[in-house]
Amino acid sequence: MLDSVRVRLTLWYSAVLTLVLIVLALITYFIFWRSTLQRTDVNLSELSEAFLTTLDAEVKDQSGPDSLKLAGQVAITEHRFRDHVFAIFDAAGNMVVSSQDVPPAATATSASGETPLSSRSFRRFLDASFRSERLFGKVRGGEDGYRAFARHFSSGGKTYVLVILQSFHPQQEMLEEVAATFAWVIPIAILLAGVGGYFLARKSLAPVVAMSSQAGRIGAANLHERLAVQNERDELGHLARSFNSLLDRLGQSFERQRRFMADASHELRTPVAILRGEAEVALSQQARSPEEYRESLGVLHQEAERLTHIVEDLFTLTRADAGQYPLQPREFYLDELVSECVHSARTLALAKKICLNFEEASESPISADESLLRRMILNLLDNAIKYTLDGGRVTVTCHREGENYVLSITDTGAGIPTELQPRIFERFFRVDKARSRAESDGGGAGLGLSISRWIAEAHHGRLELTRSDSTGSTFSAYLPVESRDSASAC
Ligand code: ADP
């Protein structure tokens, strides 16, 4: 049950609300208690003023040694309230007069039979009152105790202490009522808020539940389906859009993979078919001359080589895609590597009477994967020779331009139609499929330029077709002079 976000949200919400309400109730109770106490104290103070005024007036009317006692009895009779106890003590702590005696019915008694004036807490309060001009305090007794007030006054040249006790019972009852109200209001508020919170959480999370079940139904077969976006601007809308764009990218990647597989199998099917056909023809004829067998074996060999070439290229690209092609950089001179490659391609160029020319370059030290760069240069040279007519010219240059070495291979071939130029780096793309396969000795599968571009990019450089028209084409590779560490793992 706690695995549900809705339940967890509701529990958290209710817990926080409970805490807030309890703190609020405690604060309210405290404020209420304090103001009740203050009101009681003000009341006691005013009562003492009135009592002393009456006492003063009565003393003047009396004579004899008990004049204060008699005046006190009159004042007590005048000011007696149900919940109040009055008492006057002389400086020695002897009680002069008290309302507990007049009349006896007004005497407040505690549950144990102890009167407030005879309790020990009253004695303590009385002792303290002699040390202070005015004193408020608490005295036990009655149902909920008394609020006590003591003040000094003089009469006939002597100092006395007037003590007034006020029962705290009505105030305590009121405070208990407040507490009882909180005791039922808080649980009901929490219950209502919890139920409301649960439904609110359920309503807010309903789109998430809908999205997750929708997402659960999306698989390879229906990758084109998208999540419904209810409100583009809110968080859930944002989530749905992010998920949809993830599906877009996945879909594109699936599509690329599918096309790659289809193209790869298509490319592999042709040499395999030739191999099978040639072998079947050779086997079907009973008697064949050694020349005929040699010729068949030559075809088989050529197609097997072509197959090997395609499989190797595919393997390279697959590893490159997975980021698992380990580069092995080392220090060497780029101009020397280019010179070696030009030298190797010379035989191919000679066969087509193509003038292959490398314009001598200055020393170009570089730290790179030599065998990969060799592969890229040979690919470009191979293409330049392959797509240039007999008697043409291929020129290779290598120079430094700022932070890069620029390696350019220019041919005088027929060029690439402008509308197809953006696609020539795509995998398996060939301008003229029939011609490229027929003309190549190893057979072009349209992977050479994709691999070459990947090699340049793996070295943090780039490969571009910088010019192509009816007079020929120029491919340029830009390779950074300074190697970067990350180039070692592509
Ligand atoms: P391929 O193995 O077919 O040569 P590439 O990926 O190397 O594959 O080249 C892709 C296509 O680009 C080629 O089939 C060809 O049509 C075109 N191409 C590449 N280089 C040149 C060039 N120097 N001149 C004209 N066309 C070229």
Side-chain angles (χ1 to χ4, degrees):
M1 192 169 110
L2 283 178
D3 289 341
S4 155
V5 176
R6 273 173 299 188
V7 174
R8 279 209 306 272
L9 264 179
T10 310
L11 287 180
W12 270 109
Y13 172 69
S14 305
V16 171
L17 190 76
T18 308
L19 197 75
V20 169
L21 286 179
I22 287 176
V23 170
L24 214 68
L26 287 176
I27 292 173
T28 311
Y29 185 84
F30 174 73
I31 292 173
F32 197 72
W33 170 80
R34 214 179 52 176
S35 79
T36 305
L37 205 64
Q38 276 169 353
R39 268 205 318 275
T40 308
D41 288 355
V42 168
N43 184 36
L44 281 171
S45 180
E46 284 171 0
L47 196 57
S48 76
E49 288 294 339
F51 184 89
L52 287 179
T53 311
T54 311
L55 188 75
D56 221 22
E58 289 300 325
V59 166
K60 284 181 188 139
D61 293 346
Q62 306 289 338
S63 59
D66 285 342
S67 61
L68 184 70
K69 184 176 176 177
L70 293 171
Q73 279 169 349
V74 176
I76 285 170
T77 316
E78 265 186 43
H79 292 280
R80 186 169 54 82
F81 297 113
R82 212 169 75 83
D83 292 327
H84 290 86
V85 177
F86 294 87
I88 295 173
F89 293 86
D90 62 15
N94 299 316
M95 188 190 291
V96 178
V97 64
S98 118
S99 65
Q100 282 194 329
D101 304 316
V102 247
T107 306
T109 50
S110 70
S112 60
E114 186 185 50
T115 62
L117 295 186
S118 64
S119 72
R120 257 191 288 161
S121 64
F122 180 77
R123 285 317 309 177
R124 274 199 301 275
F125 174 74
L126 190 64
D127 290 346
S129 71
F130 285 110
R131 294 189 292 275
S132 160
E133 192 71 24
R134 293 165 74 88
L135 181 71
F136 286 100
K138 198 171 182 271
V139 169
R140 280 184 209 209
E143 277 179 88
D144 295 301
Y146 290 83
R147 185 68 180 159
F149 175 57
R151 63 177 289 179
H152 294 191
F153 70 95
S154 352
S155 178
K158 290 185 186 163
T159 302
Y160 295 90
V161 175
L162 166 68
V163 178
I164 307 176
L165 304 182
Q166 181 178 335
S167 168
F168 211 64
H169 183 60
Q171 286 84 344
Q172 191 60 38
E173 259 182 356
M174 213 146 64
L175 284 170
E176 273 167 17
E177 223 166 273
V178 170
T181 309
F182 280 132
W184 65 263
V185 164
I186 290 179
I188 288 179
I190 291 167
L191 193 77
L192 287 178
V195 173
Y198 179 79
F199 282 107
L200 215 69
R202 213 167 89 150
K203 194 167 155 40
S204 322
L205 291 173
V208 177
V209 176
M211 274 198 286
S212 78
S213 71
Q214 222 181 328
R217 284 196 300 272
I218 297 177
N222 58 345
L223 207 57
H224 56 276
E225 282 186 20
R226 294 291 175 265
L227 297 186
V229 183
Q230 312 249 336
N231 181 355
E232 289 226 348
R233 285 186 301 268
D234 69 8
E235 290 85 346
L236 295 176
H238 189 72
L239 176 70
R241 270 187 297 131
S242 304
F243 191 81
N244 283 344
S245 77
L246 173 73
L247 286 178
D248 284 346
R249 291 197 298 277
L250 267 178
Q252 283 162 11
S253 167
F254 253 65
E255 181 53 27
R256 268 202 306 275
Q257 288 292 332
R258 198 195 56 73
R259 230 181 36 226
F260 185 69
M261 293 296 289
D263 289 343
S265 39
H266 179 78
E267 286 305 320
L268 292 171
R269 218 169 37 210
T270 313
V272 169
I274 295 173
L275 278 175
R276 227 182 55 202
E278 197 60 38
E280 276 170 10
V281 170
L283 288 171
S284 64
Q285 292 171 355
Q286 290 292 336
R288 294 188 86 192
S289 66
E291 285 71 34
E292 282 174 321
Y293 276 120
R294 185 173 290 280
E295 200 181 315
S296 288
L297 283 173
V299 173
L300 290 177
H301 180 250
Q302 190 179 321
E303 287 307 313
E305 255 190 2
R306 182 169 144 70
L307 257 180
T308 312
H309 195 69
I310 295 174
V311 170
E312 267 172 10
D313 281 355
L314 284 174
F315 188 53
T316 305
L317 281 172
T318 316
R319 284 173 74 194
D321 281 351
Q324 286 172 355
Y325 201 106
L327 295 198
Q328 286 160 350
R330 71 171 197 86
E331 308 274 333
F332 63 92
Y333 288 96
L334 184 62
D335 52 304
E336 283 179 12
L337 177 68
V338 178
S339 176
E340 276 172 41
C341 293
V342 169
H343 192 76
S344 323
R346 202 142 264 157
T347 334
L348 276 178
L350 270 179
K352 288 184 78 177
K353 298 194 184 56
I354 286 174
C355 172
L356 177 57
N357 186 27
F358 174 42
E359 290 174 4
E360 274 312 314
S362 54
E363 276 191 352
S364 316
I366 192 169
S367 171
D369 188 315
E370 191 180 358
S371 73
L372 281 181
L373 284 194
R374 184 189 300 276
R375 192 163 169 187
M376 179 186 80
I377 300 165
L378 284 174
N379 266 345
L380 296 174
L381 279 173
D382 185 52
N383 278 352
I385 295 166
K386 202 158 60 177
Y387 300 111
T388 298
L389 291 178
D390 292 8
R393 166 184 284 271
V394 172
T395 309
V396 183
T397 61
C398 177
H399 62 276
R400 184 171 173 163
E401 224 178 74
E403 296 302 302
N404 290 312
Y405 291 123
V406 184
L407 166 67
S408 296
I409 297 174
T410 304
D411 60 55
T412 56
I416 300 157
T418 319
E419 68 279 9
L420 297 179
Q421 286 176 15
R423 298 193 57 198
I424 54 163
F425 290 100
E426 284 176 19
R427 292 169 186 189
F428 298 107
F429 181 78
R430 293 190 302 258
V431 173
D432 180 347
K433 301 206 172 191
R435 189 191 65 166
S436 45
R437 181 168 295 138
E439 279 185 2
S440 64
D441 44 353
L447 293 172
L449 283 180
S450 331
I451 292 177
S452 301
R453 175 167 266 189
W454 165 72
I455 292 172
E457 285 170 357
H459 287 85
H460 300 286
R462 60 187 201 276
L463 174 65
E464 289 172 359
L465 170 65
T466 39
R467 179 191 70 91
S468 190
D469 52 34
S470 57
T471 62
S473 312
T474 301
F475 282 88
S476 299
Y478 297 81
L479 299 168
V481 175
E482 294 295 330
S483 66
R484 281 191 238 164
D485 291 345
S486 52
S488 58
C490 281

